[in-house]
Amino acid sequence: MRTSDDRVRGRALFQALRATAIILSLGAFSVLQAGSGAGTAGTASFERPGGAQDAPLERPRDLSGRSVKTPRVRAIHTDDASLKGGTAYLIRRDPWLAYQRGRELTQREFGARDGVFGQSGHHAGPLLEDGVTHMASRGHVASCTLCHNTPWRDLGGGLTFGKNGARGRNTPHLFGAGLTEMLGWQNRLDLLAQVDSDGNGWISRLEARGRHASLLTLPESVEGEGARVQLGRFDDDDGDGRPDLDPILAIWYVDSQGRRIPWARSLKDLGVAGYSFEYQVFGHGSHGRQTEHGPPTSSTLRAFTAGAFDLHSGLQAHDPTLLLDPDGDGISGTSLAGSRQFSTASVRDRGATKSAMGVSLDDPDRDGHMEEISQGDLDLAEWYQLNHPRPAERQGREETGRGRALFRKIGCAGCHVPDWFLKPSSPGGKGGIAYPGDRRFFDLSVQEDPIAGRLQGKLVLLADRRQGDWTPRRGSFVLRGYYSDLATHDLGDRFAEQQYDGSVIKRHRTPPLWGVGSTAPYGHDGASLDLDSVIRRHDGEAGESTRSYESLSRRQRSDLLAFLRSLVLYQTEELACDVDGDGKVSSSFTVAGKNTGLERLNPEWLFLHPGEIEGLVTGAHGSEVNSEALINLDAAYGTNLPWLRDSDGDGHPDRRDLPQEKER
Ligand code: HEC
Ligand code: HEC
């Protein structure tokens, strides 16, 4: 029997041979990984690209097909879809591949060779209100999925860790996160339209005078359960120098030309003529004030991802889309997925020095690894999260129907507002607002199938293909079953959050309750272990509805809890799903000539070059298994496309290789 040491040696030998072959084939004597600290040859990596025919020592394999299969290579951002393997090509020509590669970025366990960590354990993140205490510590895990863990491989909800204060913050799930992001931008536009009468993108003192802020979640013409959400006042009625708005709006101050004054903290500061704001739909809540490092949380998926990679895994992103704001108005780039960004995003790798090929050489954590996350990586990670399917609702049972009615009756729906409307794109101009519309390329509608007794999905494309390019339709979308007003509330002492510096956050974001049946523990701090206790913990603004809950009969409470438990997540790759739109779920779904079994949403099967599975093979112990390892891995994943190829395996693609290797 081989020991694991043999295996390591075997693999090291294989890698060394391969490395030699590469060096010889390049005809160069340059040292692999020059300048990047840890060498790659012999370093174990986390990928399992192989199938049943591969010698597992040489090519680690996974017959279940669920592993990350491709080597880590930084994606190259481009706007030009004709550059094969660049991010515009991936997103427009092969959107499922872009989605899957973005998904891989959130599942991959990054290793030393990728520059993971570097300053593990250091205090990090934005500063709290005393101006010196950091919000968290840095570098705890090597992958997003280690926190966003339930369900596994789908950016679910998860663990609680020390953030803001030692009581910690609990990890929310990211199902439907794209819809949340899009509502945030739409709400910002709708609020601006209420007061910004000259349409210059910011609010002057005069425009704000006497004005209240509120939003309608659903237009009256659309049937459903919407509400009017109150968000405070645009002016500074209490005279503390800040607009009296809900802290879900993170304010920045501007001069008379609309340029952001980064150091300004009050309407009374010198040179301040007014303000603008971000609608912070993400995170459990903050004091809403800007710090040296921008706002305490990010309002877009892209900025959140860049921040999370750095804070949790010590991987700094260099991203001109977030950084560049030539006119200084606080709004920076527009991503390939169509999301406007804010220049307040806190990214440390600013690209002060760049190689001839455009790689940032800043290396903020000084671990010898350059541009640990690229602008292209963020294009893909954002694309995946934008399109990540929304949660499901198990309907049709009597008790859940009764529970839902009670939920409304006792006032829960006043804050946990069920329905929202995403407006279709409109050109803007002449006083009209330029809404972006639904930017996703597909929606997954998941319902309970009463006959099969299981959840069942239906893939609905939201994009059209013309001359090889997919273009999202950017229509409207009625979002049913969201259960949040996207505002903050004070739920009394039991929810007050004392931060490390002694400051107290009293208002927290109403968490959307979609998926809540699958995401215990509850509360921003994960301190309530079940649904009944988190509901009884509500007080303050929710006091009346909590008392109504407490005075329900036992049976009624059980109906209400059954309703909440019917709001569930699911594993996207395991869900029975009508993928080809023929109105049924096949029990032997054929892809690239192979029987893949139950019809399911495996992105690989929807690639431009669909993944071809191995099929029936004999596994270890002689068992017969349907291997889902791919036999056309390179073609399916485009690993040899010119803008993705990484011949020397250093994680930097050939087209933007590290300077040491090309310039020598
Ligand atoms: C150490 C655990 C941990 C890791 C690792 C982690 N997250 Fe999170 N994530 C959290 C917590 C906790 C929150 C809530 C933060 C808050 O409220 O302050 C969160 C919130 C988010 C949100 C906002 C969601 C919402 O509805 O509020 C996004 C988006 C996100 N994370 C993306 C990522 C991505 C992408 C990665 C990997 C690059 C990642 N996270 C890694 C714990 C983690
Ligand atoms: C005044 C607004 C308001 C009302 C009314 C209200 N909630 Fe909440 N709810 C919140 C806020 C805010 C939170 C987050 C608190 C925190 O974590 O700090 C929350 C959290 C929750 C959670 C935990 C979600 C999670 O993912 O952790 C559940 C479950 C919940 N509410 C159910 C209910 C039910 C059931 C009712 C009616 C009995 C209700 N709420 C009434 C505002 C409200």
Side-chain angles (χ1 to χ4, degrees):
M1 217 187 108
R2 282 177 186 253
T3 65
S4 61
D5 277 348
D6 286 339
R7 253 175 248 145
V8 171
R9 272 196 295 277
R11 185 157 164 69
L13 182 66
F14 166 74
Q15 294 244 1
L17 287 173
R18 195 182 66 159
T20 317
I22 289 167
I23 290 171
L24 290 178
S25 74
L26 289 174
F29 293 95
S30 62
V31 182
L32 272 178
Q33 283 296 295
S36 64
T40 38
T43 309
S45 84
F46 149 89
E47 301 108 28
R48 293 182 186 272
Q53 305 308 314
D54 295 296
L57 288 183
E58 284 156 24
R59 204 167 144 87
R61 61 195 194 183
D62 167 18
L63 304 197
S64 82
R66 298 292 194 276
S67 296
V68 169
K69 303 185 178 88
T70 60
R72 165 72 181 136
V73 53
R74 291 156 179 76
I76 299 182
H77 165 86
T78 108
D79 293 323
D80 182 351
S82 69
L83 304 180
K84 292 190 169 167
T87 51
Y89 168 92
L90 294 172
I91 288 175
R92 288 189 208 133
R93 301 269 159 91
D94 203 351
W96 288 102
L97 177 56
Y99 175 87
Q100 177 76 342
R101 281 193 171 262
R103 183 161 175 247
E104 278 184 343
L105 279 162
T106 67
Q107 286 180 37
R108 180 179 293 282
E109 269 177 46
F110 286 87
R113 51 166 294 182
D114 309 310
V116 78
F117 305 144
Q119 297 167 313
S120 260
H122 287 211
H123 290 175
L127 297 177
L128 299 179
E129 289 171 58
D130 66 0
V132 284
T133 302
H134 284 281
M135 196 173 265
S137 63
R138 198 185 283 294
H140 356 266
V141 291
S143 169
C144 308
T145 47
L146 290 175
C147 292
H148 293 277
N149 189 271
T150 310
W152 170 232
R153 298 197 315 279
D154 278 311
L155 284 185
L159 56 72
T160 304
F161 81 106
K163 181 171 178 291
N164 295 69
R167 290 193 176 111
R169 286 211 169 183
N170 181 248
T171 307
H173 73 76
L174 300 180
F175 279 66
L179 286 157
T180 300
E181 178 186 55
M182 292 189 286
L183 285 179
W185 181 258
Q186 173 174 301
N187 289 351
R188 177 180 189 275
L189 293 179
D190 282 344
L191 288 176
L192 265 180
Q194 291 170 23
V195 274
D196 178 20
S197 31
D198 59 9
N200 61 2
W202 57 278
I203 302 165
S204 68
R205 282 199 194 81
L206 196 65
E207 287 170 330
R209 192 171 296 160
R211 306 297 302 275
H212 289 260
S214 75
L215 287 169
L216 201 56
T217 70
L218 203 64
E220 265 140 32
S221 55
V222 181
E223 213 182 300
E225 288 180 61
R228 181 164 286 282
V229 179
Q230 301 297 337
L231 292 156
R233 298 174 62 113
F234 286 107
D235 59 1
D236 175 24
D237 194 42
D238 63 12
D240 68 352
R242 307 185 68 231
D244 304 339
L245 287 166
D246 189 304
I248 202 151
L249 305 175
I251 286 155
W252 74 79
Y253 298 94
V254 300
D255 66 16
S256 57
Q257 305 303 306
R259 284 179 305 238
R260 183 165 79 97
I261 312 177
W263 52 264
R265 297 286 177 271
S266 154
L267 287 166
K268 296 172 180 164
D269 284 341
L270 198 69
V272 170
Y275 66 95
S276 192
F277 58 87
E278 297 179 38
Y279 202 114
Q280 291 197 325
V281 282
F282 296 121
H284 295 293
S286 70
H287 41 76
R289 289 176 203 173
Q290 300 283 341
T291 72
E292 303 296 306
H293 304 276
T297 41
S298 306
S299 320
T300 65
L301 291 169
R302 189 179 187 95
F304 217 109
T305 303
F309 269 127
D310 189 10
L311 185 72
H312 303 308
S313 306
L315 296 164
Q316 293 94 53
H318 175 61
D319 183 26
T321 310
L322 287 173
L323 279 171
L324 300 181
D325 176 16
D327 61 4
D329 67 350
I331 310 284
S332 49
T334 303
S335 69
L336 285 181
S339 170
R340 304 296 303 272
Q341 304 297 321
F342 299 94
S343 62
T344 50
S346 63
V347 282
R348 292 196 289 163
D349 189 342
R350 306 188 81 82
T353 340
K354 284 195 175 186
S355 76
M357 295 176 115
V359 182
S360 166
L361 303 176
D362 280 17
D363 186 18
D365 63 359
R366 301 273 178 274
D367 62 359
H369 296 273
M370 306 302 149
E371 207 176 284
E372 292 164 336
I373 299 291
S374 67
Q375 185 179 14
D377 290 335
L378 291 181
D379 291 345
L380 301 179
E382 179 196 332
W383 182 245
Y384 162 57
Q385 291 172 79
L386 168 66
N387 289 291
H388 191 339
R390 60 202 162 88
E393 197 160 331
R394 289 182 187 275
Q395 278 167 341
R397 295 184 196 170
E398 263 177 49
E399 70 268 29
T400 55
R402 287 195 304 264
R404 197 176 199 281
L406 282 168
F407 184 79
R408 191 182 322 129
K409 187 166 167 228
I410 64 172
C412 310
C415 295
H416 297 282
V417 179
D419 302 338
W420 283 80
F421 184 70
L422 197 61
K423 296 170 185 165
S425 74
S426 57
K430 288 217 184 96
I433 306 176
Y435 291 107
D438 189 348
R439 298 184 279 103
R440 297 173 303 159
F441 82 106
F442 76 91
D443 180 61
L444 197 68
S445 149
V446 183
Q447 317 256 306
E448 178 138 50
D449 174 7
I451 300 163
R454 66 178 181 204
L455 284 177
Q456 204 158 288
K458 186 174 174 332
L459 179 64
V460 182
L461 285 178
L462 302 176
D464 296 305
R465 191 171 179 208
R466 280 185 221 100
Q467 284 150 7
D469 273 11
W470 285 96
T471 316
R473 278 172 221 142
R474 298 205 175 215
S476 60
F477 189 76
V478 186
L479 178 50
R480 300 201 188 276
Y482 186 65
Y483 306 110
S484 169
D485 56 2
L486 290 174
T488 68
H489 297 279
D490 181 346
L491 297 196
D493 290 347
R494 291 194 295 264
F495 272 113
E497 180 182 23
Q498 184 170 336
Q499 305 193 93
Y500 293 117
D501 67 346
S503 60
V504 179
I505 295 184
K506 291 192 173 147
R507 304 183 70 89
H508 290 96
R509 172 191 69 160
T510 310
L513 295 184
W514 58 359
V516 80
S518 311
T519 60
Y522 302 109
H524 65 264
D525 53 6
S528 306
L529 300 193
D530 57 53
L531 287 165
D532 181 65
S533 33
V534 76
I535 298 169
R536 289 177 193 270
R537 193 175 162 195
H538 284 52
D539 198 357
E541 288 178 46
E544 209 176 307
S545 107
T546 311
R547 280 182 284 282
S548 308
Y549 174 79
E550 285 165 344
S551 57
L552 293 177
S553 71
R554 199 179 273 254
R555 151 97 186 276
Q556 286 173 316
R557 266 203 304 276
S558 131
D559 288 347
L560 187 87
L561 294 174
F563 159 63
L564 292 177
R565 278 196 305 271
S566 76
L567 311 177
V568 292
L569 306 180
Y570 49 87
Q571 278 200 304
T572 53
E573 286 159 308
E574 313 298 332
L575 178 80
C577 187
D578 175 11
V579 172
D580 59 8
D582 66 355
K584 56 180 193 293
V585 176
S586 164
S587 55
S588 53
F589 189 58
T590 306
V591 181
K594 298 281 168 59
N595 180 0
T596 64
L598 184 68
E599 188 171 346
R600 290 175 290 121
L601 184 71
N602 180 343
E604 288 176 344
W605 299 339
L606 298 160
F607 290 177
L608 194 57
H609 301 281
E612 183 179 350
I613 63 166
E614 256 189 324
L616 286 180
V617 298
T618 308
H621 301 304
S623 54
E624 175 120 302
V625 293
N626 201 26
S627 164
E628 285 182 21
L630 297 190
I631 57 177
N632 64 341
L633 184 65
D634 288 334
Y637 274 87
T639 51
N640 288 321
L641 293 172
W643 293 76
L644 269 177
R645 193 189 299 132
D646 175 21
S647 326
D648 59 7
D650 68 349
H652 293 270
D654 298 358
R655 291 283 159 110
R656 288 188 67 206
D657 226 328
L658 275 183
Q660 288 89 338
E661 296 179 58
K662 289 280 158 169
E663 284 160 11
R664 236 176 237 181

